Amino acid sequence: MLAERISSPMTTAAVLARVRRYCDVQERCHQQVRDKLYEMGCHAEEVEQLIAQLIGEGLLNEQRYAEDYAVSKFRQKGWGRIKIRMALRLKKVAPPCIAGGLAAIDGDEYIAYLTAAVAKLRATTKGADAWEREQRVKRYLMGRGFEPDLIGDVLKGA
């Protein structure tokens, strides 16, 4: 299959049509589209032109991607802001877009989720004493990407 792609290069119009469909399915960051275009056999100059065209058409918007990604990872997977920020950095999203994406997470919803998670974890976490159980809860939530000081505040208040 790979040999077929290499021996018969796609025309620019065909590549553009294919990458438009790729962007229509869901929000994509620039790096995902760049990787897809290189996978299709495009050269660096052509890749950047196609990305610029997709941005101009409104199919590719990194700010919109970061907001969608941050909100969906928080609501669907229960990730905290730290884990979301790191995931967006790995996807090579620009820092201002990451900040905008994290700002899209509702602060009240974030605290409510964290409070509910603490209550649930306290009820199910086992340990030799109360201090050990609290540390296990804190470590778990830090692993999910929540801020240590915020976890501490919720643990004290809950």
Side-chain angles (χ1 to χ4, degrees):
M1 177 119 163
L2 183 61
E4 291 173 16
R5 270 192 262 157
I6 293 171
S7 64
S8 61
M10 297 174 71
T11 65
T12 303
V15 168
L16 186 58
R18 195 166 168 193
V19 80
R20 279 182 180 142
R21 281 192 307 272
Y22 180 68
C23 291
D24 279 340
V25 173
Q26 69 182 41
E27 290 294 335
R28 308 282 182 181
C29 67
H30 295 180
Q31 191 60 44
Q32 287 174 317
V33 173
R34 190 172 284 118
D35 292 344
K36 188 67 158 178
L37 289 168
Y38 283 128
E39 184 182 301
M40 289 183 202
C42 296
H43 298 289
E45 184 178 308
E46 185 181 16
V47 166
E48 296 309 319
Q49 288 174 353
L50 290 170
I51 286 176
Q53 185 171 350
L54 292 169
I55 291 169
E57 292 173 6
L59 288 172
L60 195 58
N61 183 326
E62 209 159 62
Q63 179 65 41
R64 194 173 60 211
Y65 171 78
E67 290 172 5
D68 181 57
Y69 186 88
V71 171
S72 66
K73 289 298 180 189
F74 167 65
R75 289 186 180 155
Q76 294 173 7
K77 294 198 176 220
W79 286 8
R81 289 186 180 118
I82 294 172
K83 190 167 185 171
I84 294 169
R85 180 180 295 115
M86 295 309 295
L88 286 170
R89 281 184 187 164
L90 285 174
K91 292 178 177 288
K92 300 179 182 176
V93 174
C97 295
I98 293 173
L102 294 174
I105 298 172
D106 181 43
D108 295 334
E109 185 180 352
Y110 192 76
I111 297 294
Y113 177 85
L114 187 56
T115 305
V118 164
K120 182 178 178 183
L121 288 167
R122 276 186 169 160
T124 59
T125 303
K126 296 178 179 156
D129 57 13
W131 183 85
E132 185 180 341
R133 286 190 301 274
E134 293 292 302
Q135 291 305 306
R136 286 182 180 193
V137 168
K138 189 172 185 175
R139 269 196 313 268
Y140 176 80
L141 291 170
M142 285 172 57
R144 302 292 295 167
F146 290 94
E147 300 86 340
D149 55 334
L150 192 58
I151 295 169
D153 292 345
V154 171
L155 283 170
K156 288 176 190 169

Coordinates of all heavy atoms in Angstrom, one line a residue, residues 80-83 85 110 114 118 134-135 137-156:
G80 N -7.3 17.2 34.6 CA -7.1 18.6 35.2 C -6.4 19.4 34.2 O -5.9 19.0 33.2
R81 N -6.2 20.7 34.6 CA -5.6 21.7 33.7 C -4.1 21.4 33.4 O -3.6 21.6 32.3 CB -5.7 23.1 34.3 CG -7.1 23.6 34.3 CD -7.1 25.1 34.7 NE -8.5 25.6 34.7 CZ -9.2 26.0 35.7 NH1 -8.6 25.9 36.9 NH2 -10.4 26.4 35.6
I82 N -3.4 20.8 34.3 CA -2.0 20.5 34.1 C -1.8 19.4 33.1 O -1.0 19.6 32.1 CB -1.3 20.1 35.4 CG1 -1.3 21.3 36.4 CG2 0.1 19.6 35.2 CD1 -0.8 20.9 37.8
K83 N -2.6 18.4 33.2 CA -2.5 17.3 32.2 C -3.0 17.8 30.8 O -2.4 17.4 29.8 CB -3.4 16.1 32.7 CG -3.2 14.9 31.9 CD -3.8 13.7 32.6 CE -3.5 12.4 31.8 NZ -3.9 11.2 32.6
R85 N -2.8 20.9 29.6 CA -1.7 21.7 29.1 C -0.6 20.9 28.6 O -0.1 21.2 27.5 CB -1.2 22.6 30.2 CG -0.1 23.6 29.8 CD 0.5 24.5 30.9 NE -0.5 25.4 31.3 CZ -1.0 25.4 32.6 NH1 -0.6 24.5 33.5 NH2 -1.9 26.3 32.9
Y110 N -15.2 23.1 37.3 CA -13.9 22.5 37.6 C -13.8 22.2 39.1 O -13.5 21.1 39.5 CB -12.8 23.5 37.2 CG -11.4 22.9 37.2 CD1 -11.0 22.1 36.2 CD2 -10.5 23.3 38.2 CE1 -9.7 21.6 36.1 CE2 -9.2 22.8 38.1 CZ -8.8 22.0 37.1 OH -7.5 21.5 37.1
L114 N -13.9 18.6 41.1 CA -12.8 18.2 42.0 C -13.4 17.9 43.4 O -12.9 16.9 44.0 CB -11.8 19.3 42.1 CG -10.5 19.1 42.9 CD1 -9.8 17.9 42.4 CD2 -9.6 20.3 42.8
V118 N -13.0 14.2 45.2 CA -12.4 14.1 46.5 C -13.4 13.3 47.4 O -13.0 12.3 48.1 CB -12.1 15.4 47.2 CG1 -11.9 15.3 48.6 CG2 -10.9 16.0 46.5
E134 N -5.5 10.5 52.8 CA -5.5 11.8 52.2 C -4.3 11.9 51.2 O -4.5 12.5 50.1 CB -5.3 12.9 53.3 CG -6.5 13.0 54.2 CD -7.8 13.5 53.5 OE1 -7.7 14.6 53.0 OE2 -8.8 12.8 53.5
Q135 N -3.2 11.4 51.5 CA -2.0 11.5 50.6 C -2.3 10.7 49.3 O -2.0 11.1 48.2 CB -0.8 11.0 51.2 CG -0.3 11.9 52.3 CD 0.0 13.3 51.8 OE1 0.7 13.5 50.9 NE2 -0.7 14.3 52.5
V137 N -5.3 10.1 48.0 CA -6.3 10.9 47.2 C -5.6 12.0 46.5 O -5.8 12.2 45.3 CB -7.4 11.4 48.2 CG1 -8.2 12.5 47.5 CG2 -8.3 10.3 48.7
K138 N -4.7 12.7 47.2 CA -4.0 13.8 46.6 C -3.1 13.4 45.5 O -3.1 14.0 44.4 CB -3.1 14.5 47.7 CG -2.5 15.8 47.2 CD -1.8 16.5 48.4 CE -1.3 17.9 47.9 NZ -0.8 18.7 49.0
R139 N -2.4 12.3 45.6 CA -1.5 11.8 44.6 C -2.3 11.3 43.4 O -1.9 11.6 42.2 CB -0.7 10.6 45.1 CG 0.7 10.9 45.7 CD 1.6 9.7 45.8 NE 0.9 8.6 46.4 CZ 0.9 8.3 47.7 NH1 1.5 9.1 48.5 NH2 0.4 7.2 48.1
Y140 N -3.4 10.7 43.6 CA -4.3 10.3 42.5 C -4.8 11.5 41.7 O -4.7 11.5 40.4 CB -5.5 9.5 43.0 CG -6.4 9.1 41.9 CD1 -6.2 8.0 41.0 CD2 -7.6 9.9 41.6 CE1 -7.0 7.7 40.0 CE2 -8.4 9.6 40.6 CZ -8.2 8.5 39.8 OH -9.0 8.2 38.7
L141 N -5.2 12.5 42.4 CA -5.8 13.7 41.7 C -4.6 14.5 41.0 O -4.8 15.0 39.9 CB -6.5 14.6 42.6 CG -7.9 14.0 43.1 CD1 -8.4 14.8 44.3 CD2 -8.8 13.8 42.0
M142 N -3.4 14.5 41.6 CA -2.3 15.1 40.9 C -2.0 14.4 39.6 O -1.6 15.0 38.6 CB -1.1 15.2 41.9 CG -1.3 16.3 42.9 SD 0.0 16.3 44.2 CE 1.5 16.4 43.3
G143 N -2.1 13.1 39.7 CA -1.8 12.3 38.5 C -2.9 12.5 37.4 O -2.6 12.4 36.2
R144 N -4.1 12.9 37.8 CA -5.1 13.3 36.8 C -4.9 14.7 36.3 O -5.6 15.1 35.4 CB -6.5 13.2 37.4 CG -6.8 11.8 38.0 CD -7.0 10.8 37.0 NE -8.1 11.1 36.1 CZ -8.4 10.5 35.0 NH1 -7.6 9.5 34.5 NH2 -9.4 10.8 34.2
G145 N -3.9 15.4 36.8 CA -3.6 16.7 36.3 C -4.2 17.9 37.0 O -4.2 19.0 36.5
F146 N -4.7 17.7 38.2 CA -5.2 18.8 39.0 C -4.1 19.5 39.8 O -3.1 18.9 40.2 CB -6.3 18.3 39.9 CG -7.5 17.9 39.2 CD1 -7.8 16.6 38.8 CD2 -8.5 18.9 38.9 CE1 -8.9 16.3 38.1 CE2 -9.6 18.6 38.2 CZ -9.8 17.2 37.8
E147 N -4.2 20.8 40.0 CA -3.2 21.6 40.7 C -3.1 21.2 42.2 O -4.1 21.1 42.9 CB -3.6 23.1 40.6 CG -3.6 23.6 39.2 CD -5.0 23.4 38.5 OE1 -5.8 22.5 38.9 OE2 -5.2 24.1 37.5
P148 N -1.9 21.0 42.7 CA -1.7 20.5 44.1 C -2.3 21.5 45.1 O -3.0 21.1 46.1 CB -0.2 20.5 44.3 CG 0.3 20.3 42.9 CD -0.6 21.0 42.0
D149 N -2.2 22.8 44.9 CA -2.7 23.8 45.9 C -4.3 23.8 45.9 O -4.9 23.9 46.9 CB -2.2 25.2 45.6 CG -2.4 25.7 44.2 OD1 -2.5 24.8 43.3 OD2 -2.5 26.9 44.0
L150 N -4.8 23.6 44.7 CA -6.3 23.5 44.6 C -6.8 22.2 45.3 O -7.8 22.2 46.0 CB -6.7 23.5 43.1 CG -8.2 23.8 42.8 CD1 -8.7 25.0 43.4 CD2 -8.4 23.8 41.3
I151 N -6.1 21.1 45.1 CA -6.5 19.8 45.7 C -6.4 20.0 47.2 O -7.3 19.6 48.0 CB -5.5 18.7 45.3 CG1 -5.7 18.4 43.8 CG2 -5.8 17.4 46.1 CD1 -4.6 17.5 43.2
G152 N -5.3 20.7 47.7 CA -5.2 20.9 49.1 C -6.3 21.7 49.7 O -6.9 21.4 50.8
D153 N -6.7 22.8 49.0 CA -7.9 23.6 49.4 C -9.2 22.8 49.5 O -9.9 22.9 50.5 CB -8.1 24.8 48.5 CG -6.9 25.8 48.5 OD1 -6.1 25.7 49.5 OD2 -6.8 26.6 47.6
V154 N -9.4 22.0 48.5 CA -10.6 21.2 48.5 C -10.6 20.1 49.6 O -11.6 19.9 50.2 CB -10.8 20.5 47.1 CG1 -12.0 19.5 47.1 CG2 -11.1 21.6 46.0
L155 N -9.4 19.5 49.8 CA -9.3 18.5 50.9 C -9.5 19.2 52.3 O -10.2 18.5 53.1 CB -7.9 17.9 50.9 CG -7.7 16.8 49.8 CD1 -6.2 16.5 49.7 CD2 -8.5 15.6 50.0
K156 N -9.1 20.4 52.5 CA -9.3 21.1 53.7 C -10.8 21.5 53.9 O -11.3 21.4 55.0 CB -8.4 22.3 53.8 CG -7.0 22.0 54.0 CD -6.2 23.3 54.0 CE -4.7 23.0 54.0 NZ -3.9 24.2 53.7

